Every structure is written in C-alpha cells, then in structure tokens.
Amino acid sequence: MVESIRVVSRDVGRILEALSLIMFASIAVAIAWGEEYTIPALLISGAIPLAIGYLLTRLGKGAAEPGKLHGMVIAAAGWFLVAVFGSLPFFFVAATDVLHIGVLGSPPITPTTAAFLNPLNGIFESMSGFTGTGLTMAVHENHLPHVLQWWRSLIEWVGGVGVIVLTTAILARPGSGSLTLYESEARSEKIHPSIVSTVRTIWWIFLLFTVASVTLLWLAGMPLWDAINHAMTGLATGGFSITDNSIATYHSALVDFATVPVMVLGSIAFPVHYLVMQGNLDELWTDLQTRWVFGFFGLGTLVLTVLLAAGHIYSTPFQDFRYALFQFVSAASCTGFQTAGSLGTSWSVAEQLVVSLGMVVGAAAGSTVGGIKLIRAATLTKGTLFRIRGVFYPESVVRHFHMNGRSLSEGELAREFEEAAIISFLWFVFLGIGIFALILTVDPKYTLENAIFEVASAQGNVGLSTGITGPGMPTLDKVVFLFNMWIGRLEIIPVLVLLRALVTGFEVSP
Amino acid sequence: MRSLDRIPGVRRLQSVGSDDSVFDMLILSGILLLGIVALFGRSLVTETAAIAYLLFFFSYTPYKYLVR
C-alpha cells in the first residue's frame, strides 16, 4: 500500500512540476503582449504546484516502476490535480486585476475576468481545458487578457497530447481501441519503457501539425494570434476560442472550410498519422477507425444538410452544407467550435439530436477526441452481428471474428466486446445522472433536449453549448459538469479505479 | 540538415520524429515562417511563402507513398 502511494506520489509530483514549467513559460506571452502585470500571478501560480510537486516527487523517490493499476490511478489523479492547480492563473490574474495594483499597471477588471474570482469557475475552466471540452465560464473571451487566452489554448493543447498518450500507451487494453494499433504495448505490464518514445513521437507529430494548422488558418484570413490559438485548440479538438462567437466571428466560409481539416487531423488516431507519415498513405483507407471517421463525418454531414435544407433555416443549399459540415465535424470530433449561432435556438430537435449523436459517438480512439469512440461502436455493431450469425452455426464450428485485419478468437472477441459494452453502459449511466441533475436545477426556459445536448457535450468533451453553461449556472451543475468532463476524458474506468483505491486501497483481490 | 544538428534542440527533434529529415525541416521552417509573419505581417511575399509551405507539406506524404 505504502509503496503504491509512493509510486503514484512520484509520478503525480512530476506532472505537477511539468505544469509549473508551462506556467513559467507563459511569462513570455505576458512580455510579448505588454501584460507584465500578470507576471507575479503566473509566478505564484507556478510556484505552488512546483513546491507540491517537488514534495510529492521526493516522497516517491526510489519507488518501483508503475504497473497498469498505478497508471490508471496516476492518470485519474493527475488529471484532476492538474485541473485544480491549472486554475490558479485564472484566479491570480483576476485577483491582480481586481486589486488594480498601480505599480503593476494592471487594467480595470472586466466582468469576464471577474468571473474567475470564484475559484470554482477557474477550476471549471481549467478542467474544461485539460479535458479538451471547451465549455467556458468566460462570457466574452475577447475581453480576457492575452495571457489567459493563451493559457486556455495551451492547456487544451497539452491536454490533447495527454489524452493521446493515455489511450495509446497507458490505458491500452482489450476493447480500448488501442489494442488493434498497439498490440504489443497492450500486453506490457510496465508502462515506462514504451511510453517515453511514444510521448516523444506524439509531441513531434503534434508540433508539426500545429505549425501547419496555424499557417493554414492564417492564410484563410485569421489574424496570426487567432490562428495560433485556434490551431492549438482545434488540433487538440478542445474548442476554446479567443473570440466572442467562436469561428462564427470571422463570417468567412473560407475560414470555416480551413478549420475543418484541422479538426479532422485531431480526430484520426495518432498511430495512424505516424504510419501515414512513414509513407503508408493506404492506412487512411485500410485502417478501420479512420475509414469509419470519414464515413461517419460524411454521413452525419449529409443527414444534417438535408435536415437544415428541409427546415429552411439558411437561405441557400451552400449555406446548409457549410453549417452542416462544420457543426457535425465540430461535434463528432468533439472540438466544439461553433459557426451556427442559432444552434441552440433555431435548430430543430432533430438537428440538435443529430449533433448530439455525433458528440456521443466521437471519432477515433488514440486521437484527441472524446465520446464513446468509433472503435467501440464498430466493435459493438460487428460483435452483435457476429453473435447473431453464430446462432445459425453448429456449436462445434470454430469461428473467428475479423476486425481491422486481425482475426480474433471467440474468447478475444468476448473481452473486446465486454470492455466496449461496459464503457458504453457506464457512459450512458453517467450521462443520465448529469441530465437528471441538470433538469432539477437549470432555468426552466431550457428544454430536455437542451439538457441532453449540454451534458453530452460536457461528457463527450465537446464544448458546444445551447447557452446553459456560464458563470451564472448553479453550483451543483458546475460540480456535476466537472465530474462529467473528468470521467469523459479518462473513459470512466480510471476514475472508478481511483475512487476504489481511495476507499479500499491498492491491494489486488486474490 | 547536418549543419543544423549543431543547433541546441535540433538533434533532439530529429531523434524523436518519424526518422525523416524533411518533416524535421518542415517543423523548423514552419516556425521560422510564422516568425516572419509575426514580424512583417500579411503581404504578398508572406502569403506566397505560406502557400508554398502548405503545398509542400500536403504533397510530401503522397510523394513518399508513390516512391515507396
């Protein structure tokens, strides 16, 4: 037990130390934008996790290498603590503004920044960022200091890399969607030997794609600062914006269409990206998940275009297609960028539910998206058909289940099928709990479909909003959404493992 | 790229990537391009450079696939 605590303590401590480093690095942005008054806030914000991280690392010095159980606990605890400590820049910058300290030259505080004087709002924003959700407590993002705009984008970007590492290396197990891609690692009990090279490669690909995405968005017409921030949050499929109306701010079809491939890049499993970059371009159509990503995005766009055309919300078929493509890709990639300002009010129930379906299913495991993931949908669909067909065969027949070029025995299929079913079931259970809490407390002007949409958005780490989420929402709803975002990002099981470990300890039952 | 190895961080960047110096060069040249855009703003020259960069970026992988 003590040894396990030391293992977790050391790795969580390292995560907090890394968090402090990116806070200190953000001082460069403060200097670049002439917001030096935020530097003390960033220094204090960074010093706290650095000190705690140092103490935790010291506590775990010399501890054993982590196994799978520890990996899950570290991921769940680390994500939670990073979200808590990541809220400090929001609070301290707001506090600096409200104190209006003359010697620091801080400007008068805006209502948007003042919302972060409530620490819960900062934790919500930080959890939303690190989980790549994009729901926000900032009413007018363009009124935030550049440092906080940057901090929101940076935490989504870092969280995006984190979740790829999580799903392709740490949590790789049967049914997780990573087994097919990283079979050898899934069988490894120790995570460190393979995770280091995996993390490095993922950072490298992420950095390359970010640079290309910034260039693309800038070329489409965004100012450079906007392009940097939206490329970071778009690739991480997080969806934080630095403008008041998300991508709709630009009133540009070109910007809309340029943002779509950025979101799609974030929706494809990064191991596939790696293989494609090695010259294996055929992975784009031979890999099951990637094929399903394009198929799902295409089908969703088509259905939504037809519904919008039938609803006569927009004036031309081109506008129907433009908004349908952007909003479905934004939802299914779990990004949450918005171009349709009327999504929560003018769009019909059918249109909102199609978008909700995209948010619930998501895209590829091993990418930055949330949701249940297409691989699980594929496993459940094909597995169900396999079981039904099995009724028509004699019991003596040995059958194999084929998926993504792999042949699985009935036992292996059962494991994959069970894992996908458990996660999908838990996903809907917690979705139901969130919806129940929301309809009890939310303003009566919002409908049930609004509540379903909002909770699906939080738990799917999407960030599209019908207008429910904001600094004025009830505290209970903020806490429930924090939990929804957290479990959605970690695919539920690690959070439950952490909670069990906190209650009963790390002992493995005989 | 050999002379670039001497710049701190570049060798590390090369060692973690896809073992393809062209992609390493794309990261470095992309950052340089964005720096130039930050300094000189939007102009015909910077937009042409950005288009050239993206064309190269998006055509290099198909090229690798074809010559494989």
Side-chain angles (χ1 to χ4, degrees):
Chain A
M1 176 71 177
V2 174
E3 181 62 15
S4 290
I5 290 173
R6 290 180 69 233
V7 171
V8 173
S9 165
R10 178 197 56 205
D11 284 13
V12 169
R14 283 176 181 164
I15 292 170
L16 292 180
E17 287 174 344
L19 176 71
S20 70
L21 287 180
I22 63 170
M23 286 178 180
F24 293 141
S26 297
I27 289 173
V29 177
I31 294 167
W33 281 103
E35 292 175 349
E36 287 84 358
Y37 71 92
T38 61
I39 293 176
L42 290 173
L43 287 173
I44 296 168
S45 301
I48 293 170
L50 180 64
I52 295 171
Y54 177 75
L55 288 174
L56 288 174
T57 309
R58 290 273 297 177
L59 181 71
K61 194 175 180 186
E65 287 297 300
K68 283 265 159 125
L69 170 64
H70 300 117
M72 287 196 186
V73 173
I74 290 162
W79 230 285
F80 183 79
L81 290 175
V82 157
V84 170
F85 288 105
S87 72
L88 294 176
F90 294 109
F91 176 75
F92 283 119
V93 169
T96 308
D97 271 7
V98 80
L99 289 174
H100 196 45
I101 302 166
V103 69
L104 293 176
S106 61
I109 193 164
T110 63
T112 299
T113 310
F116 294 117
L117 290 169
N118 177 351
L120 184 59
N121 288 347
I123 294 172
F124 187 101
E125 195 80 2
S126 179
M127 180 66 88
S128 179
F130 278 110
T131 57
T133 305
L135 288 171
T136 183
M137 289 288 119
V139 179
H140 301 294
E141 290 93 329
N142 52 335
H143 291 177
L144 289 169
H146 290 91
V147 163
L148 289 188
Q149 290 179 344
W150 164 259
W151 182 243
R152 292 164 83 245
S153 303
L154 183 63
I155 61 180
E156 284 206 330
W157 197 68
V158 170
V161 175
V163 79
I164 300 165
V165 173
L166 188 77
T167 51
T168 55
I170 298 174
L171 302 184
R173 61 182 186 275
S176 67
S178 306
L179 181 71
T180 326
L181 304 163
Y182 272 133
E183 190 176 11
S184 58
E185 291 190 10
R187 289 174 180 166
S188 168
E189 281 301 311
K190 304 289 180 186
I191 59 174
H192 271 173
S194 60
I195 201 172
V196 173
S197 58
T198 307
V199 172
R200 281 179 177 172
T201 305
I202 288 168
W203 271 116
W204 183 90
I205 298 172
F206 219 65
L207 182 62
L208 176 64
F209 285 178
T210 304
V211 171
S213 300
V214 174
T215 310
L216 178 65
L217 294 180
W218 175 79
L219 200 57
M222 275 190 199
L224 185 60
W225 177 245
D226 299 35
I228 290 170
N229 283 276
H230 289 126
M232 289 169 74
T233 61
L235 189 60
T237 63
F240 272 154
S241 176
I242 60 165
T243 63
D244 213 7
N245 294 311
S246 190
I247 304 301
T249 303
Y250 304 101
H251 301 292
S252 164
L254 190 58
V255 168
D256 291 3
F257 290 127
T259 311
V260 168
V262 177
M263 295 188 283
V264 172
L265 276 178
S267 309
I268 295 171
F270 273 64
V272 173
H273 279 311
Y274 180 75
L275 293 172
V276 167
M277 291 168 74
Q278 300 276 15
N280 302 310
L281 198 63
D282 47 359
E283 286 289 327
L284 289 176
W285 55 89
T286 57
D287 175 67
L288 177 85
Q289 280 207 106
T290 312
R291 218 167 45 234
W292 277 50
V293 165
F294 289 121
F296 186 53
F297 285 6
L299 185 65
T301 301
L302 181 68
V303 171
L304 204 49
T305 304
V306 171
L307 288 172
L308 288 174
H312 302 294
I313 295 175
Y314 303 107
S315 53
T316 64
F318 174 73
Q319 298 281 17
D320 293 329
F321 171 72
R322 173 186 164 188
Y323 287 108
L325 172 70
F326 190 95
Q327 288 307 164
F328 193 81
V329 171
S330 176
S333 67
C334 303
T335 308
F337 282 150
Q338 208 153 333
T339 51
S342 55
L343 197 148
T345 51
S346 300
W347 283 33
S348 70
V349 175
E351 289 148 5
Q352 287 191 41
L353 289 178
V354 169
V355 175
S356 297
L357 176 71
M359 296 193 291
V360 170
V361 175
S367 71
T368 60
V369 307
I372 291 171
K373 309 283 189 307
L374 282 168
I375 188 71
R376 293 201 183 95
T379 304
L380 290 174
T381 307
K382 295 187 81 168
T384 304
L385 291 172
F386 183 80
R387 286 288 167 91
I388 292 170
R389 286 196 198 104
V391 176
F392 296 93
Y393 288 88
E395 282 190 21
S396 56
V397 171
V398 178
R399 299 170 66 225
H400 278 85
F401 178 74
H402 297 280
M403 191 152 172
N404 210 24
R406 290 179 62 223
S407 179
L408 303 180
S409 67
E410 294 227 26
E412 287 171 323
L413 168 64
R415 270 194 317 173
E416 296 262 350
F417 196 76
E418 181 186 89
E419 179 90 9
I422 288 172
I423 290 178
S424 302
F425 170 72
L426 289 173
W427 214 92
F428 282 105
V429 166
F430 286 108
L431 187 74
I433 293 170
I435 293 167
F436 184 70
L438 192 61
I439 55 176
L440 283 180
T441 52
V442 78
D443 191 322
K445 75 177 180 183
Y446 293 107
T447 60
L448 176 63
E449 62 264 22
N450 289 155
I452 294 171
F453 188 98
E454 204 79 6
V455 180
S457 178
Q459 191 166 298
N461 303 126
V462 181
L464 289 173
S465 176
T466 56
I468 292 174
T469 303
M473 73 191 292
T475 299
L476 173 67
D477 294 341
K478 288 178 189 170
V479 174
V480 170
F481 272 32
L482 273 174
F483 187 71
N484 283 125
M485 291 189 282
W486 185 37
I487 61 168
R489 181 77 302 174
L490 288 155
E491 304 194 335
I492 304 172
I493 302 243
V495 175
L496 299 181
V497 169
L498 170 67
L499 296 176
R500 183 189 181 278
L502 288 173
V503 176
T504 63
F506 283 86
E507 281 76 18
V508 178
S509 301
Chain B
M1 291 297 285
R2 272 183 197 153
S3 57
L4 285 175
D5 287 355
R6 293 174 190 161
I7 301 172
V10 170
R11 188 180 295 170
R12 190 177 179 82
L13 183 75
Q14 288 179 317
S15 68
V16 300
S18 66
D19 304 321
D20 188 325
S21 59
V22 175
F23 280 124
D24 295 331
M25 186 200 70
L26 275 168
I27 291 185
L28 295 171
S29 59
I31 293 169
L32 182 67
L33 173 66
L34 294 175
I36 291 169
V37 167
L39 283 174
F40 300 104
R42 196 179 288 274
S43 70
L44 185 63
V45 175
T46 51
E47 287 193 335
T48 306
I51 291 169
Y53 176 82
L54 287 174
L55 282 176
F56 189 80
F57 179 86
F58 286 114
S59 57
Y60 182 59
T61 302
Y63 166 77
K64 275 187 83 170
Y65 174 69
L66 290 172
V67 300
R68 203 169 48 141

